[in-house]
Amino acid sequence: LSGKSPEEKRSMLVKCAETTLNSKLVSDYKLFFAEMSVDAVSLLGDDLATSTVGIKKATGGSVMDSMLIDGVAFKKTFSYAGFEQQP
């Protein structure tokens, strides 16, 4: 990848990620998830600690409702008078 522009590097990484998604259930959405995967890895920093990337599953919605969150995502809970309730 040396000597390539950032756009060329990203394009190459997206193509590699798309290749890994060809035989998966999400193959119809491989570009969407390939770009999300490349974005997630690019947020890791120099140590590339992939253990810091998590996937939160939520029922309902469509595949295209998936999103990458740069930060921490919590399950929506409410606390009232010391008790936790699920919505």
Side-chain angles (χ1 to χ4, degrees):
L1 293 175
S2 63
K4 303 280 186 188
S5 71
E7 294 81 20
E8 290 174 313
K9 289 178 185 178
R10 178 177 169 71
S11 175
M12 191 176 296
L13 291 171
V14 168
K15 286 178 186 176
C16 289
E18 282 182 314
T19 301
T20 65
L21 295 169
N22 276 335
S23 64
K24 308 295 186 244
L25 293 173
V26 293
S27 63
D28 292 339
Y29 308 97
K30 65 183 175 182
L31 178 61
F32 177 74
F33 285 107
E35 289 177 343
M36 188 182 300
S37 300
V38 171
D39 290 341
V41 171
S42 67
L43 291 172
L44 293 177
D46 294 334
D47 63 350
L48 296 178
T50 56
S51 61
T52 61
V53 176
I55 296 175
K56 174 70 180 141
K57 297 178 185 177
T59 56
S62 75
V63 172
M64 296 301 289
D65 290 335
S66 300
M67 66 182 76
L68 175 64
I69 298 173
D70 180 11
V72 180
F74 295 98
K75 186 174 182 179
K76 195 161 88 172
T77 58
F78 301 95
S79 184
Y80 179 76
F83 294 101
E84 266 192 19
Q85 287 182 342
Q86 298 297 325

